[in-house]
Amino acid sequence: MNSKLNLDRLDLQIIEHMMDDAEISYADLGKKLFVSGGTIHVRIKKLQKDGVVKGTRLNPDLKLLGYDVIAFIGIYLKESSLYDSVAKELHKIKEIVRLNYTTGNYSMFAEIVCKDISELRVVLHEKLQKIKGIERTETLISLEESFSRSVRILE
């Protein structure tokens, strides 16, 4: 495993179980893994301190909250050296939920969540296109998310 962090199998089991159900109590998780709840607590605190666990997040149904549009934006930069400054500006756009620096056709690839097509148009036209360093963009609108899953840490 990762010797720099000194993670053992129990650490990885804890991470994997909590990725599936972050609400599980330490006592219940301890029972599943045949250790005490206190051991789970200590391990989680160590994983948080080491930066392996960055917190827990609520995963709401965005459609039920009125967010009907998920789009992916391929961003072409005028120069690759502009990545940091463009990323900083994109971070200010609240509708952008994920941004990656990529190889291939695009310099950057962003995921955007909006309530409707009108809001997406505003994000594209009034926010994104005005950022200095962006040459052009290509937008792909998601029709349906077929599945989403966590990375499997243990085989």
Side-chain angles (χ1 to χ4, degrees), residues 6-147:
N6 199 22
L7 299 178
D8 63 12
R9 183 162 178 78
L10 179 60
D11 291 322
L12 297 176
Q13 288 174 315
I14 291 168
I15 293 166
E16 186 152 302
H17 276 82
M18 293 200 73
M19 284 180 8
D20 287 335
D21 180 10
E23 291 185 345
I24 191 170
S25 73
Y26 292 167
D28 288 343
L29 183 54
K31 287 177 190 172
K32 284 185 173 190
L33 299 178
F34 306 104
V35 297
S36 72
T39 298
I40 299 295
H41 176 78
V42 168
R43 293 292 185 110
I44 290 290
K45 290 299 179 196
K46 179 185 174 295
L47 291 168
Q48 289 171 332
K49 180 180 153 283
D50 291 345
V52 176
V53 173
K54 297 179 182 180
T56 57
R57 294 186 180 164
L58 190 63
N59 187 19
D61 185 322
L62 295 176
K63 289 235 182 255
L64 292 177
L65 294 174
Y67 293 89
D68 288 330
V69 177
I70 295 175
F72 300 94
I73 313 298
I75 301 168
Y76 294 87
L77 296 177
K78 290 179 181 171
E79 298 174 27
S80 61
S81 62
L82 297 171
Y83 172 78
D84 289 332
S85 63
V86 172
K88 187 175 181 180
E89 291 302 309
L90 291 171
H91 191 266
K92 296 175 184 176
I93 301 173
K94 67 176 181 64
E95 294 85 359
I96 298 178
V97 298
R98 180 172 297 131
L99 179 68
N100 294 88
Y101 191 25
T102 61
T103 62
N105 290 335
Y106 312 114
S107 302
M108 305 167 94
F109 203 69
E111 182 177 349
I112 297 181
V113 177
C114 297
K115 290 191 180 255
D116 53 35
I117 292 294
S118 296
E119 184 179 20
L120 176 62
R121 183 193 170 286
V122 167
V123 171
L124 294 173
H125 182 69
E126 296 178 19
K127 297 179 181 180
L128 200 108
Q129 293 294 341
K130 292 184 178 181
I131 295 174
K132 291 189 185 336
I134 293 179
E135 182 177 341
R136 65 186 173 100
T137 63
E138 289 184 10
T139 304
L140 299 103
I141 296 174
S142 173
L143 300 176
E144 175 183 317
E145 181 178 276
S146 301
F147 67 87

